[in-house]
Amino acid sequence: MIGFTLDEEYEALRRTVETFARDEVAPVIGDYYEREAFPYEIVARMGKMGLFGLPFPEEYGGMGGDYFALCIALEELARVDSSVAITLEAGVSLGAMPIFRFGTEEQKREWLPRLCSGERLAAFGLTEPGGGTDVPGGMRTTARLEDGHWVINGSKAFITNAGTDVTVAVTVAALTGDGEISTILVPSGTPGFTAGKKYSKVGWSASDTRELSFDDVRVPEANLVGERGRGYAQFLRILDEGRIAIAALSVGLAQGCVDECLRYVRERAAFGRAIGEYQAIQFKVADMETRAHTARLAYYAAAAKMLAGEPFKKEAAIAKLVASNAAMDNARDATQIFGGYGFMNEYPVGRFYRDAKILEVGEGTSEVQRMLIARHLGLPAR
Amino acid sequence: MNIVVCVKQVPDTATERKLRSDDKTLDREAADGVINELDEYAVEEALTIKEAHGGEVTVLTMGPEKASESIRKALAMGADKAVHLSDEALHGSDALSTSYALAQVLKKIGFDIVLLGSESTDARTGMLAAMLSERLGVPQVTLANKVEIDGSSLKAQRLTDYGFDRVEASLPAVVSVVEKINEPRYPSFKGIMAAKKKPVEKLAVADAEIDAAKVGLAGASTEVVDFADAPPREKGQIVKDEGDGGVKVAEFLASKKFI
């Protein structure tokens, strides 16, 4: 039988990030959120703690941990705030991870130390205005080889960490031939490459999300990340891992709803008693805790398979599906328990409500997760 | 530079803390143990001194087996090694006997500077630094909010009611710190994993030539005679301003002898 308790070092990491989130993030994040401002100071401190280097080896400036350590950190951050959690998630699993997994030794040495320290961020450009998971069919961005340079044209949509003051590069997926997708590193500031204005978003308001455009952008041929034509396989791997990370982040939000409600139901009185004494409230909170707990088990199980080097695609899809449901359901219940206050942006549960929806969409929609699970059960593709 | 930081495991101030009914000592099982917050500042200062002047940081703690959690935290922050004084005979030691026990260990392991938080969040006597320096026969610099090492001496700012004093002391010395001195770092995952491999020397009273009769409940010079729960907080008084709000607030403060 396998164990379900955290090893000592994961538990120590969990407690460290929990304390950081409670003491450093919680008191100030509401203000950033309201102003839709990127929390540079918090991100820098997360960098100092080594959070951006968690799953990478020490030789590239990492912490020598693993992907599960990243998930633990994401969960604890998201218990307090999802904007900083998604900034870490995207910075690590979309910004640095493709370079680490598929880049050349030279690319790793050039980019990873800066990204692992959190002093610089990188982004991953896959989704386009006209297509998301339905790549490669829907992809329009192209890159053609010309005099030893890639010439890139096209645009990308909803790209996290793409336009902060500390963003240094974006790895772009582009068609490099008929049905052939490759990924290419484009440093920020390359002529023709522009990050548009920040989107006005329903949630994750203190994170950086932008549309990118590429107009005859020229980068050296050596900026190809991984093998030419392997781009599709590469980002499938990145997305599978990312689903576990998003599941962890979702569990954090779901648990954060429980945390907030436990405090509130003891303080708030109605009809002469603390509302936490009413069974209607108790059952709601019990259901919320149950969802958070079961979703956590789902992502632990997926991460365990991944770390063991076993196929984990189905487990990652299940974890993402169940955890994003838990986040959405808990956010709805938490705001209901808070009543009018739940509708106020100044209360964390109001933020949680706004932040939850995207979890059913990003890194593959809930429908895509169901499709993946069904395929794994042997059901036909069409 | 041989830097020693004394850390204490205390019950988490966020949880309910209790005394044991049998021997009136702290119930360490009832609450989660954490490193005494002010000691984290001492650890940070030790690491800062080491980064600037080289040397080694040793964590010293006295406490039951569970106190090893606090040792690991200090090691994860970056301390090099630890000494854990743990013995049933030490249970119930008061400040005076604790200072005796720790001084015995410090004499054994040697030091250029001993750093510690200016008080613990459980007993809050705030006397340990003074007692240690007396027993060790070295200068005491208490309530420091700034420390600079200069060769064989140190310069410090010592917090007072009216501002701060600038003091100098020769090394070796004992220094207690306040929270204004720095901002303790969070341990990184690399630090957490490295902490598992760092040496922790376990000492019993006999190993440090501590006279068991001078420590523990029997060796304590103070005795908890009785204790009671803190009274529940009284309901606040709401002053409605009907033009005389200021007067009412002043009357309330006067009744409590604040003004």
Side-chain angles (χ1 to χ4, degrees):
Chain A
M1 190 56 199
I2 53 167
F4 281 99
T5 50
L6 291 182
D7 288 345
E8 189 190 302
E9 63 265 31
Y10 291 121
E11 175 57 21
L13 172 71
R14 194 197 64 72
R15 260 187 284 122
T16 304
V17 182
E18 177 185 38
T19 308
F20 173 79
R22 186 191 60 204
D23 294 352
E24 317 286 343
V25 181
V28 297
I29 195 63
D31 183 51
Y32 286 104
Y33 200 90
E34 198 93 326
R35 291 186 289 120
E36 302 193 2
F38 188 79
Y40 287 103
E41 276 183 30
I42 297 176
V43 170
R45 302 194 64 176
M46 286 158 57
K48 263 198 169 158
M49 285 169 73
L51 297 188
F52 285 88
L54 273 174
F56 304 112
E58 291 181 34
E59 57 176 316
Y60 300 117
M63 289 290 122
D66 53 33
Y67 207 81
F68 185 56
L70 170 69
C71 291
I72 295 283
L74 290 171
E75 183 188 333
E76 287 304 324
L77 286 173
R79 263 174 84 180
V80 165
D81 176 67
S82 288
S83 293
V84 294
I86 193 59
T87 300
L88 174 64
E89 197 278 337
V92 174
S93 77
L94 300 176
M97 193 58 91
I99 300 172
F100 172 67
R101 278 211 195 287
F102 311 114
T104 61
E105 190 58 30
E106 210 181 326
Q107 287 168 337
K108 290 188 217 180
R109 300 232 168 263
E110 182 182 353
W111 298 100
L112 289 179
R114 286 183 275 173
L115 301 178
C116 286
S117 74
E119 285 166 15
R120 295 288 179 265
L121 292 169
F124 190 67
L126 170 64
T127 304
E128 300 191 351
T133 308
D134 61 336
V135 282
M139 190 169 288
R140 296 283 173 270
T141 301
T142 60
R144 62 174 196 280
L145 210 47
E146 211 178 83
D147 316 324
H149 282 74
W150 293 106
V151 181
I152 306 167
N153 280 285
S155 58
K156 296 288 172 183
F158 316 132
I159 309 303
T160 306
N161 291 344
T164 73
D165 296 348
V166 292
T167 301
V168 283
V170 54
T171 306
V172 188
L175 288 167
T176 47
D178 198 16
E180 177 196 282
I181 294 173
S182 307
T183 50
I184 300 163
L185 247 170
V186 180
S188 303
T190 306
F193 166 39
T194 45
K197 199 158 76 71
K198 266 170 91 164
Y199 292 108
S200 168
K201 304 190 294 275
V202 167
W204 286 357
S205 297
S207 73
D208 183 89
T209 320
R210 295 169 196 261
E211 183 162 320
L212 306 180
S213 68
F214 302 85
D215 183 13
D216 281 333
V217 174
R218 291 171 69 87
V219 295
E221 187 177 355
N223 282 24
L224 181 73
V225 179
E227 265 175 73
R228 180 172 178 167
R230 295 285 298 157
Y232 186 55
Q234 286 173 15
F235 60 66
L236 284 187
R237 164 81 196 196
I238 293 295
L239 288 185
D240 284 341
E241 292 176 358
R243 279 170 191 144
I244 305 177
I246 295 295
L249 197 152
S250 305
V251 169
L253 190 150
Q255 194 66 53
C257 290
V258 178
D259 297 343
E260 290 297 322
C261 285
L262 275 180
R263 239 191 318 272
Y264 187 72
V265 301
R266 290 190 175 109
E267 288 166 6
R268 169 74 187 194
F271 306 106
R273 283 200 263 165
I275 60 172
E277 292 177 31
Y278 295 103
Q279 199 178 50
I281 296 289
Q282 290 182 359
F283 278 15
K284 224 186 242 309
V285 175
D287 281 346
M288 290 164 69
E289 172 71 8
T290 303
R291 289 185 205 115
H293 177 77
T294 47
R296 181 178 300 110
L297 296 181
Y299 99 69
Y300 278 17
K305 282 215 149 191
M306 176 189 161
L307 293 188
E310 293 170 23
F312 62 94
K313 206 182 194 45
K314 183 184 77 173
E315 287 75 11
I318 290 174
K320 162 75 168 49
L321 179 62
V322 74
S324 55
N325 278 343
M328 198 59 187
D329 290 348
N330 281 13
R332 188 192 58 236
D333 282 353
T335 47
Q336 192 66 24
I337 285 173
F338 269 68
Y341 292 112
F343 199 57
M344 299 297 117
N345 276 328
E346 65 177 290
Y347 282 82
V349 292
R351 256 192 293 127
F352 292 163
Y353 188 77
R354 289 170 60 186
D355 291 340
K357 181 60 215 171
I358 187 62
L359 299 168
E360 294 184 322
V361 176
E363 216 87 5
T365 58
S366 295
E367 291 73 14
V368 163
Q369 311 307 331
R370 290 187 174 94
M371 191 178 84
L372 289 169
I373 297 162
R375 299 259 167 93
H376 268 266
L377 295 173
L379 297 172
R382 291 264 187 281
Chain B
M1 173 104 34
N2 184 1
I3 309 158
V4 180
V5 194
C6 297
V7 305
K8 183 181 188 184
Q9 170 126 331
V10 295
D12 191 344
T13 49
T15 58
E16 201 190 337
R17 294 168 288 173
K18 286 191 294 215
L19 295 185
R20 280 163 49 158
S21 53
D22 55 354
D23 64 3
K24 303 189 182 71
T25 63
L26 185 67
D27 188 348
R28 291 182 194 278
E29 301 302 316
D32 283 344
V34 295
I35 189 168
N36 178 43
E37 197 184 331
L38 275 168
D39 296 342
E40 284 188 39
Y41 293 82
V43 173
E44 177 63 37
E45 198 58 23
L47 297 173
T48 309
I49 292 171
K50 180 194 159 177
E51 281 156 13
H53 301 278
E56 203 173 39
V57 176
T58 305
V59 179
L60 168 60
T61 200
M62 171 177 136
E65 184 53 39
K66 232 178 141 222
S68 59
E69 295 162 5
S70 289
I71 289 180
R72 264 198 300 276
K73 166 113 193 235
L75 293 175
M77 286 172 75
D80 300 287
K81 58 191 174 69
V83 176
H84 185 176
L85 176 62
S86 188
D87 201 309
E88 241 336 282
L90 296 162
H91 172 75
S93 297
D94 63 0
L96 200 61
S97 45
T98 299
S99 71
Y100 161 67
L102 288 176
Q104 289 299 99
V105 178
L106 285 163
K107 282 178 194 164
K108 182 178 146 70
I109 63 177
F111 60 91
D112 294 312
I113 183 167
V114 177
L115 290 153
L116 63 165
S118 55
E119 65 176 28
S120 60
T121 52
D122 53 359
R124 300 197 66 178
T125 65
M127 297 189 293
L128 198 67
M131 289 174 171
L132 275 180
S133 59
E134 184 63 28
R135 290 189 186 278
L136 296 165
V138 299
Q140 57 158 312
V141 177
T142 52
L143 304 172
N145 69 356
K146 192 174 179 185
V147 175
E148 277 169 31
I149 305 290
D150 184 7
S152 60
S153 65
L154 69 83
K155 291 193 176 102
Q157 279 184 14
R158 190 178 174 278
L159 206 65
T160 65
D161 287 342
Y162 41 85
F164 58 82
D165 294 334
R166 282 204 185 86
V167 296
E168 287 184 39
S170 59
L171 294 177
V174 174
V175 179
S176 79
V177 305
V178 295
E179 74 274 8
K180 286 191 177 71
I181 195 166
N182 56 41
E183 202 171 311
R185 67 196 68 186
Y186 288 90
S188 70
F189 195 60
K190 191 160 74 180
I192 288 167
M193 288 195 296
K196 289 170 72 180
K197 300 189 195 101
K198 290 177 177 173
V200 179
E201 189 186 355
K202 284 267 171 72
L203 295 181
V205 289
D207 302 323
E209 291 173 36
I210 295 165
D211 181 353
K214 292 188 186 169
V215 293
L217 270 176
S221 317
T222 53
E223 187 191 349
V224 177
V225 183
D226 197 9
F227 65 90
D229 288 339
R233 250 165 72 169
E234 283 174 43
K235 217 172 167 188
Q237 191 180 320
I238 297 170
V239 175
K240 221 179 194 157
D241 185 15
E242 288 158 345
D244 58 351
V247 176
K248 280 185 182 163
V249 170
E251 277 170 2
F252 172 79
L253 291 173
S255 76
K256 299 283 178 195
K257 298 196 167 59
F258 283 115
I259 55 174

